């Protein structure tokens, strides 16, 4: 297998993009990534597009062909493949592109992610998202994702004494980080009081404990590591790209106070990379709800199980803390266009490792990690990236 590098990244602004179509969004992100790598579209040998639910959100399927066509690549006849794993679709598109380059099958690959969610009403969007749970045993009886993660939060609070304030601090921190990110959907700073007095969604989770409904796209250009300097002076190398699965429904899990697929994917990633948890300088983790970030920092091995809440409240996961988590604002404040999130996480880490994250910069960052979850943990993708 060959080593792989990221030589170009692009990401649209996230939010309610009434004035941009699904096609506009992925073309914008793709062109930014190609410009960043200083290559033209005709050099691209394969495309992987992460997308969860365009059939429901914009009534468009066959997204692989659409992306290649509207990127002006139909006459090149390159392979263009849609990748779907619910909210982990972007992370999986990145991993698919990495495997394609590592295997020697292709040299220049674009992995992208796209979702346009706000063209339908909230009720339809929430039902589309619920199709990533077990439709027969969870969604059909009303267990939407806020409901499922609320159960995880209650169990975590019961087992480890995690408090309402600790959950809220995840949102406070991520809104603070998002306030410094020009791409973020929400750039307002909030307090613990704002979070715990916001409208109840699924007890104990409130509006500010939830990631929003978002439009957006992101893209990354991948090449063999030994060719990376043909394209950029600042290649970012893939040290590991791992994936793990678990039961799709929450009630079949060994435990609901963590996500076992995260533990497995992280263990595999650190083993492949030959690195320790303490080597990670910055991480983007899947904070679809505040409890999800607390479980993630524990399951990834950054903090002992049950101590993610106190560590968050103590500022250990904020910029300037022991391990800055979600400097982009995370899913909570930067936004969560589900199919694009995994690629956006990689874009943020690439910018951090290049030293281009401006006010959000983690000084001296050399190694970063991304963690992308599908559903309530049925799929998890972890990447470790290095300067
Ligand atoms: C939380 C949620 C139910 C709110 O939806 P909603 O009630 O329809 O919210 P609206 O779009 O009507 O927005 C109402 C207000 O809240 C704000 N808002 C919406 N979602 C927000 C969020 N997650 N955090 C903070 N503010 C939010 C809006 O900007 C709007 O503010 P305004 O009145 O000042 O313009 C919805 O965002 C949701 O379902 N989130 C979870 C998504 C999800 O499950 N993703 C997959 C995870 S696995």
């Amino acid at each position: 297998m060959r080593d792989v590098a990221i030589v170009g990244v692009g990401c649209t602004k996230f939010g309610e993009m009434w004035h941009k179509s699904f096609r506009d969004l992925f073309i914008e992100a793709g062109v930014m990534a190609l410009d960043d790598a200083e290559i033209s579209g005709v050099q691209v040998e394969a495309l992987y597009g992460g997308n969860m639910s365009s059939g429901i959100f914009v009534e468009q399927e066959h997204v692989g062909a659409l992306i290649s066509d509207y990127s002006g690549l139909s006459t090149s006849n390159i392979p263009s493949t849609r990748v779907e794993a619910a909210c982990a679709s972007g992370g999986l598109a990145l991993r698919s592109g990495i495997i394609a380059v590592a295997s020697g099958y292709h040299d220049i690959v674009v992995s992208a992610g796209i979702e346009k969610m706000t063209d339908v009403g909230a009720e339809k969007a929430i039902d589309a998202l619920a199709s990533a749970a077990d439709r027969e045993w969870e969604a059909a009886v009303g267990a939407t994702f806020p409901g499922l993660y609320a159960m995880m939060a209650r169990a975590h609070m019961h087992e480890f004494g995690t408090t309402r304030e600790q959950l809220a601090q995840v949102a406070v921190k991520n809104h603070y980080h998002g306030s410094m990110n020009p791409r973020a959907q929400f750039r307002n700073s909030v307090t613990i009081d704002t979070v715990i007095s916001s409208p109840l969604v699924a007890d104990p989770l409130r509006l500010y404990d939830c990631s929003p409904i978002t439009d957006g796209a992101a893209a990354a250009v991948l090449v063999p590591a030994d060719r990376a300097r043909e394209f950029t002076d600042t290649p970012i190398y893939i040290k590991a790209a791992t994936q793990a699965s678990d039961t799709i429904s929450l009630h079949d899990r060994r435990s609901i106070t963590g996500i076992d697929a995260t533990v497995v994917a992280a263990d595999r990633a650190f083993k492949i990379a030959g690195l320790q948890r303490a080597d990670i300088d910055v991480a983007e983790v899947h904070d679809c709800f505040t409890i999800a970030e607390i479980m993630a920092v524990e399951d990834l091995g950054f903090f002992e199980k049950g101590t993610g809440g106190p560590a968050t409240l103590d500022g250990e996961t904020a910029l300037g803390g022991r391990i800055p988590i979600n400097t982009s604002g995370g899913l909570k404040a930067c936004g969560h266009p589900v199919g694009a999130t995994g690629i956006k996480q990689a874009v943020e880490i690439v910018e951090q490792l290049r030293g281009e994250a401006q006010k959000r910069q983690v000084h001296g960052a050399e190694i970063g990690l991304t963690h992308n979850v599908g559903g309530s943990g049925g799929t998890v993708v972890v990447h470790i990236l290095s300067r």
Side-chain angles (χ1 to χ4, degrees), residues 87 122 126 129 145-146 186 207-208 210-213 288-289 332 336:
C87 306
I126 289 165
L129 292 167
F145 276 103
F186 296 126
L207 180 68
Y208 274 89
C210 303
S211 58
I213 308 290
C288 50
F289 299 94
K332 172 68 210 61
H336 185 25

Side-chain angles (χ1 to χ4, degrees), residues 223-240:
V223 302
D226 61 7
R227 288 192 58 191
R229 289 198 181 266
E230 287 175 35
F231 306 94
T232 178
D233 294 335
T234 52
I236 300 301
Y237 299 99
I238 307 293
K239 306 301 283 184

Side-chain angles (χ1 to χ4, degrees), residues 273-346:
L275 293 167
Q276 308 299 316
R277 268 65 178 182
D279 295 322
I280 302 297
D281 298 311
V282 56
E284 288 282 301
V285 311
H286 199 94
D287 60 322
C288 50
F289 299 94
T290 49
I291 183 63
E293 178 171 312
I294 287 176
M295 293 191 302
V297 296
E298 296 170 352
D299 296 339
L300 289 164
F302 297 137
F303 297 95
E304 289 288 314
K305 197 70 203 164
T307 65
T312 303
L313 201 56
D314 288 348
E316 295 195 47
T317 57
L319 259 177
R322 192 175 104 203
I323 173 161
I325 301 285
N326 286 329
T327 53
S328 70
L331 286 55
K332 172 68 210 61
C334 190
H336 185 25
V338 285
T341 284
I343 304 281
K344 179 227 75 180
Q345 293 177 323

